Amino acid sequence: ISGGALDMDSLAAAKELAIKTCEEGGKNKPCKVKAWVRNGCIAVAQRKDGKAFFGITSPGLAETEALRKCQASGRFQCIITTPEGCSMPKF
């Protein structure tokens, strides 16, 4: 179970919305923030046993980075569970 928030005005607001999204009205409680990104992109890969790996990098590279970290942890089947999302500066 996961949740996220992009392009928020503050880290506190982003964390609050991500937790709210994850908890879906209480059925997934308690959720907590495990990673965040500012001026970059993030994706999550997960092993078959449930362990998650975060790719936090430049646009277009986060999924590759998450999979690389997951696969480097051993001979595990890894999949992207949260596709790349970016939170870039607003001009």
Side-chain angles (χ1 to χ4, degrees):
I1 305 296
S2 67
L6 295 172
D7 297 323
M8 301 298 291
D9 290 330
S10 71
L11 178 57
K15 287 181 176 182
E16 183 179 329
L17 181 58
I19 289 171
K20 182 179 177 182
T21 302
C22 175
E23 291 179 347
E24 290 184 30
K27 72 178 188 176
N28 298 322
K29 281 187 176 180
C31 290
K32 57 184 167 181
V33 174
K34 294 282 195 167
W36 60 273
V37 64
R38 179 177 181 215
N39 300 336
C41 301
I42 187 168
V44 183
Q46 196 168 12
R47 293 190 320 209
K48 206 170 187 178
D49 67 359
K51 182 163 174 63
F53 297 84
F54 301 92
I56 300 173
T57 186
S58 303
L61 303 173
E63 290 182 19
T64 301
E65 179 68 7
L67 283 172
R68 185 195 63 74
K69 287 179 178 179
C70 183
Q71 292 164 346
S73 71
R75 294 183 179 259
F76 294 97
Q77 185 176 8
C78 301
I79 60 169
I80 295 293
T81 55
T82 304
E84 179 175 276
C86 299
S87 204
M88 304 305 285
K90 296 177 185 177
F91 297 100

